[in-house]
Amino acid sequence: MADGLPDSASPLTPPAAKAGGFSLPYVVACGLAMGSADVVPGVSGGSMAFILGIYGELLEAIAGFDLGLLALLRRGAWQAAAARIHLGFLVPLVAGLAVAVLVMVRPITWLYAEHPVFLFAFFFGLILGAILLIARHAHWGVQGLVAMALGVALALLLVTQAPVTMPHDPFTLFWSGAVAIMAMILPGISGSFLLLVLGQYQYVMEGVKGLDLSILLPFAAGCAVGLISFVRLLRWLLHRFHGQVVALLVGFMAGSLWKIWPFRTVLESTRNAKGKLVVLRDALAAPPDAGSLVVALLLAAAGILLVVGIEQLQHRVGVEEMGG
């Protein structure tokens, strides 16, 4: 690594250095995995992008939505515009993500409601395995250790917050959308969980169901501004401080393990408008019995093995390393 820039074999290398690095089936599969993860409260689709090795390409594609893109569209330079936003990558990724949300929302929400220990034990192993493998590419000097500690602290601060009561005016919806989407792109942090913390989740979901533009327009504008601006900052940081940023992201993922520890005890809860139980505050708990512990360990081990299998698959399909 020279001048603080990542070398060509590092994870999170920009796609300009590896054009055409992903096959269509692999990108669709990544979208399916990200969509399935986003359905699970507390689990980030960004984590799956990081694990699957497409994180850098995803950042580059999103960063392409800028004034330069508008200039190309005004000139009718459609091919250059498509290349700028990596359209051949984004379309199958978004298609896979959308299909996963539509298809997996029922079985995953059923597991979340009926067998949360099984679901979260598997994802706990998945994230833990990813941390162990991706950590090989972080900078582990003093700066890297400080960055990881900061990532852990920030993640814990976010995932342990109880929901607050906030107004639903357009300005609040705008910055809530910006904050949620910035969190969503970070591995380990769930954007939907942050909306819940900000007291906007149910209100925004009702707006989506009813196609209420007075809710959706300011929220979508906040998402667009937050995503484009934050991605550009994150991309610059990855170029300039690659190893330290990987350490920071590893810290985010490690801190998120608190939220997906499978055994929990509810400290405070309420009922929403439909009578469903909503957990406001919870805490870690010990396994209730030996059988539950064994099942959780087996599912966590399955998650770790899946990450190892993903790494082997990446070598076969030409993806450099998980982390993208």
Side-chain angles (χ1 to χ4, degrees), residues 224-260:
V225 171
L227 184 62
I228 294 172
S229 58
F230 182 66
V231 161
R232 296 180 74 83
L233 172 62
L234 185 57
R235 186 181 64 157
W236 178 84
L237 289 172
L238 282 167
H239 277 277
R240 185 67 182 84
F241 307 103
H242 181 259
Q244 292 86 347
V245 173
V246 173
L248 177 71
L249 297 178
V250 167
F252 268 117
M253 296 176 75
S256 75
L257 291 177
W258 188 94
K259 188 62 183 176
I260 56 176

Side-chain angles (χ1 to χ4, degrees), residues 42 74 81 83 111 125 147 168 193 212-213:
R74 282 198 300 267
L111 281 172
H168 301 306
F193 175 75
D212 189 337
L213 295 182

Side-chain angles (χ1 to χ4, degrees), residues 129-219:
I131 290 171
L132 296 175
L133 292 179
I134 294 171
R136 298 174 303 177
H137 306 290
H139 172 76
W140 292 121
V142 174
Q143 292 179 345
L145 291 173
V146 170
M148 187 191 73
L150 180 62
V152 171
L154 289 175
L156 287 173
L157 179 65
L158 291 171
V159 302
T160 56
Q161 294 298 303
V164 297
T165 301
M166 299 287 292
H168 301 306
D169 58 277
F171 177 72
T172 302
L173 287 170
F174 177 88
W175 70 258
S176 295
V179 170
I181 202 70
M182 286 190 290
M184 195 172 292
I185 201 67
L186 286 173
I189 305 297
S190 168
S192 59
F193 175 75
L194 276 192
L195 280 181
L196 186 64
V197 169
L198 295 171
Q200 304 296 327
Y201 183 78
Q202 183 176 348
Y203 188 73
V204 171
M205 289 302 102
E206 291 300 323
V208 172
K209 292 177 184 176
L211 295 178
D212 189 337
L213 295 182
S214 66
I215 298 173
L216 296 181
L217 288 179
F219 181 77

Side-chain angles (χ1 to χ4, degrees), residues 17-178:
K18 50 172 189 177
F22 306 104
S23 67
L24 179 62
Y26 187 79
V27 175
V28 173
C30 290
L32 292 170
M34 289 179 65
S36 299
D38 278 328
V39 173
V40 182
V43 179
S44 167
S47 295
M48 294 308 300
F50 202 67
I51 291 169
L52 292 164
I54 63 168
Y55 195 68
E57 178 105 357
L58 181 60
L59 295 185
E60 291 288 328
I62 296 171
F65 288 87
D66 56 9
L67 295 178
L69 176 64
L70 292 179
L72 290 173
L73 293 175
R74 282 198 300 267
R75 296 202 305 266
W78 309 114
Q79 188 172 357
R84 188 177 186 85
I85 61 173
H86 301 241
L87 196 63
F89 166 80
L90 274 185
V91 169
L93 183 72
V94 172
L97 196 152
V99 169
V101 170
L102 293 174
V103 173
M104 298 301 294
V105 65
R106 291 186 181 276
I108 287 183
T109 51
W110 177 81
L111 281 172
Y112 178 72
E114 302 297 330
H115 302 286
V117 170
F118 298 162
L119 183 65
F120 283 104
F122 174 75
F123 274 101
F124 191 92
L126 196 71
I127 301 302
L128 180 60
I131 290 171
L132 296 175
L133 292 179
I134 294 171
R136 298 174 303 177
H137 306 290
H139 172 76
W140 292 121
V142 174
Q143 292 179 345
L145 291 173
V146 170
M148 187 191 73
L150 180 62
V152 171
L154 289 175
L156 287 173
L157 179 65
L158 291 171
V159 302
T160 56
Q161 294 298 303
V164 297
T165 301
M166 299 287 292
H168 301 306
D169 58 277
F171 177 72
T172 302
L173 287 170
F174 177 88
W175 70 258
S176 295

